[in-house]
PDB file of all heavy atoms in Angstrom:
ATOM      1  N   ARG A 345     113.215  83.651  96.487  1.00 98.00           N
ATOM      2  CA  ARG A 345     114.607  83.220  96.690  1.00 98.00           C
ATOM      3  C   ARG A 345     114.677  81.995  97.593  1.00 98.00           C
ATOM      4  O   ARG A 345     115.560  81.165  97.452  1.00 98.00           O
ATOM      5  CB  ARG A 345     115.434  84.352  97.314  1.00 98.00           C
ATOM      6  CG  ARG A 345     116.059  85.290  96.303  1.00 98.00           C
ATOM      7  CD  ARG A 345     117.202  86.084  96.933  1.00 98.00           C
ATOM      8  NE  ARG A 345     116.715  87.009  97.940  1.00 98.00           N
ATOM      9  CZ  ARG A 345     116.185  88.203  97.653  1.00 98.00           C
ATOM     10  NH1 ARG A 345     116.087  88.593  96.394  1.00 98.00           N
ATOM     11  NH2 ARG A 345     115.767  89.006  98.605  1.00 98.00           N
ATOM     12  N   HIS A 346     113.734  81.891  98.509  1.00 98.00           N
ATOM     13  CA  HIS A 346     113.717  80.742  99.413  1.00 98.00           C
ATOM     14  C   HIS A 346     112.882  79.591  98.840  1.00 98.00           C
ATOM     15  O   HIS A 346     112.590  78.633  99.554  1.00 98.00           O
ATOM     16  CB  HIS A 346     113.160  81.147 100.779  1.00 98.00           C
ATOM     17  CG  HIS A 346     114.116  81.911 101.624  1.00 98.00           C
ATOM     18  ND1 HIS A 346     114.341  83.267 101.452  1.00 98.00           N
ATOM     19  CD2 HIS A 346     114.930  81.526 102.634  1.00 98.00           C
ATOM     20  CE1 HIS A 346     115.241  83.685 102.346  1.00 98.00           C
ATOM     21  NE2 HIS A 346     115.616  82.651 103.063  1.00 98.00           N
ATOM     22  N   ASN A 347     112.511  79.702  97.572  1.00 98.00           N
ATOM     23  CA  ASN A 347     111.664  78.679  96.939  1.00 98.00           C
ATOM     24  C   ASN A 347     110.407  78.398  97.757  1.00 98.00           C
ATOM     25  O   ASN A 347     110.007  77.248  97.910  1.00 98.00           O
ATOM     26  CB  ASN A 347     112.449  77.379  96.731  1.00 98.00           C
ATOM     27  CG  ASN A 347     113.504  77.528  95.667  1.00 98.00           C
ATOM     28  OD1 ASN A 347     113.254  78.117  94.614  1.00 98.00           O
ATOM     29  ND2 ASN A 347     114.694  77.013  95.943  1.00 98.00           N
ATOM     30  N   ALA A 348     109.824  79.460  98.270  1.00 98.00           N
ATOM     31  CA  ALA A 348     108.677  79.293  99.170  1.00 98.00           C
ATOM     32  C   ALA A 348     107.388  79.867  98.591  1.00 98.00           C
ATOM     33  O   ALA A 348     106.400  80.010  99.317  1.00 98.00           O
ATOM     34  CB  ALA A 348     108.983  79.947 100.508  1.00 98.00           C
ATOM     35  N   MET A 349     107.387  80.182  97.290  1.00 98.00           N
ATOM     36  CA  MET A 349     106.188  80.755  96.699  1.00 98.00           C
ATOM     37  C   MET A 349     105.246  79.664  96.188  1.00 98.00           C
ATOM     38  O   MET A 349     104.858  79.622  95.027  1.00 98.00           O
ATOM     39  CB  MET A 349     106.591  81.722  95.564  1.00 98.00           C
ATOM     40  CG  MET A 349     105.456  82.571  95.025  1.00 98.00           C
ATOM     41  SD  MET A 349     104.539  83.455  96.258  1.00 98.00           S
ATOM     42  CE  MET A 349     105.552  84.914  96.458  1.00 98.00           C
ATOM     43  N   ASP A 350     104.903  78.739  97.089  1.00 98.00           N
ATOM     44  CA  ASP A 350     103.899  77.717  96.773  1.00 98.00           C
ATOM     45  C   ASP A 350     103.231  77.258  98.057  1.00 98.00           C
ATOM     46  O   ASP A 350     103.796  77.371  99.144  1.00 98.00           O
ATOM     47  CB  ASP A 350     104.541  76.539  96.038  1.00 98.00           C
ATOM     48  CG  ASP A 350     105.534  75.805  96.905  1.00 98.00           C
ATOM     49  OD1 ASP A 350     106.723  76.217  96.943  1.00 98.00           O
ATOM     50  OD2 ASP A 350     105.136  74.833  97.574  1.00 98.00           O
ATOM     51  N   ILE A 351     102.002  76.766  97.917  1.00 98.00           N
ATOM     52  CA  ILE A 351     101.181  76.440  99.087  1.00 98.00           C
ATOM     53  C   ILE A 351     101.853  75.413  99.997  1.00 98.00           C
ATOM     54  O   ILE A 351     101.909  75.590 101.220  1.00 98.00           O
ATOM     55  CB  ILE A 351      99.807  75.898  98.636  1.00 98.00           C
ATOM     56  CG1 ILE A 351      99.055  76.933  97.785  1.00 98.00           C
ATOM     57  CG2 ILE A 351      98.980  75.491  99.842  1.00 98.00           C
ATOM     58  CD1 ILE A 351      98.538  78.109  98.540  1.00 98.00           C
ATOM     59  N   ASP A 352     102.383  74.351  99.418  1.00 98.00           N
ATOM     60  CA  ASP A 352     102.936  73.276 100.247  1.00 98.00           C
ATOM     61  C   ASP A 352     104.138  73.751 101.063  1.00 98.00           C
ATOM     62  O   ASP A 352     104.256  73.432 102.258  1.00 98.00           O
ATOM     63  CB  ASP A 352     103.324  72.080  99.366  1.00 98.00           C
ATOM     64  CG  ASP A 352     102.094  71.364  98.831  1.00 98.00           C
ATOM     65  OD1 ASP A 352     100.969  71.726  99.246  1.00 98.00           O
ATOM     66  OD2 ASP A 352     102.250  70.453  97.992  1.00 98.00           O
ATOM     67  N   SER A 353     105.031  74.505 100.427  1.00 98.00           N
ATOM     68  CA  SER A 353     106.194  75.023 101.156  1.00 98.00           C
ATOM     69  C   SER A 353     105.771  75.934 102.294  1.00 98.00           C
ATOM     70  O   SER A 353     106.288  75.843 103.411  1.00 98.00           O
ATOM     71  CB  SER A 353     107.112  75.802 100.216  1.00 98.00           C
ATOM     72  OG  SER A 353     107.577  74.973  99.184  1.00 98.00           O
ATOM     73  N   LEU A 354     104.818  76.796 102.001  1.00 98.00           N
ATOM     74  CA  LEU A 354     104.365  77.738 103.025  1.00 98.00           C
ATOM     75  C   LEU A 354     103.626  77.021 104.145  1.00 98.00           C
ATOM     76  O   LEU A 354     103.710  77.405 105.305  1.00 98.00           O
ATOM     77  CB  LEU A 354     103.460  78.796 102.385  1.00 98.00           C
ATOM     78  CG  LEU A 354     104.176  79.776 101.457  1.00 98.00           C
ATOM     79  CD1 LEU A 354     103.183  80.553 100.616  1.00 98.00           C
ATOM     80  CD2 LEU A 354     105.053  80.731 102.261  1.00 98.00           C
ATOM     81  N   PHE A 355     102.892  75.964 103.782  1.00 98.00           N
ATOM     82  CA  PHE A 355     102.166  75.195 104.790  1.00 98.00           C
ATOM     83  C   PHE A 355     103.126  74.521 105.766  1.00 98.00           C
ATOM     84  O   PHE A 355     102.908  74.492 106.970  1.00 98.00           O
ATOM     85  CB  PHE A 355     101.281  74.142 104.119  1.00 98.00           C
ATOM     86  CG  PHE A 355     100.502  73.312 105.097  1.00 98.00           C
ATOM     87  CD1 PHE A 355      99.344  73.803 105.676  1.00 98.00           C
ATOM     88  CD2 PHE A 355     100.931  72.033 105.440  1.00 98.00           C
ATOM     89  CE1 PHE A 355      98.624  73.047 106.578  1.00 98.00           C
ATOM     90  CE2 PHE A 355     100.213  71.259 106.343  1.00 98.00           C
ATOM     91  CZ  PHE A 355      99.058  71.770 106.913  1.00 98.00           C
ATOM     92  N   LYS A 356     104.201  73.975 105.217  1.00 98.00           N
ATOM     93  CA  LYS A 356     105.149  73.230 106.050  1.00 98.00           C
ATOM     94  C   LYS A 356     106.099  74.129 106.826  1.00 98.00           C
ATOM     95  O   LYS A 356     106.645  73.731 107.849  1.00 98.00           O
ATOM     96  CB  LYS A 356     105.965  72.283 105.163  1.00 98.00           C
ATOM     97  CG  LYS A 356     105.140  71.141 104.586  1.00 98.00           C
ATOM     98  CD  LYS A 356     105.906  70.424 103.487  1.00 98.00           C
ATOM     99  CE  LYS A 356     105.000  69.409 102.781  1.00 98.00           C
ATOM    100  NZ  LYS A 356     105.549  69.020 101.464  1.00 98.00           N
TER     101      LYS A 356
END
Side-chain angles (χ1 to χ4, degrees):
Chain A
R345 272 198 293 279
H346 284 80
N347 290 317
M349 190 52 84
D350 65 274
I351 300 288
D352 289 354
S353 300
L354 290 166
F355 180 79
K356 291 167 188 162

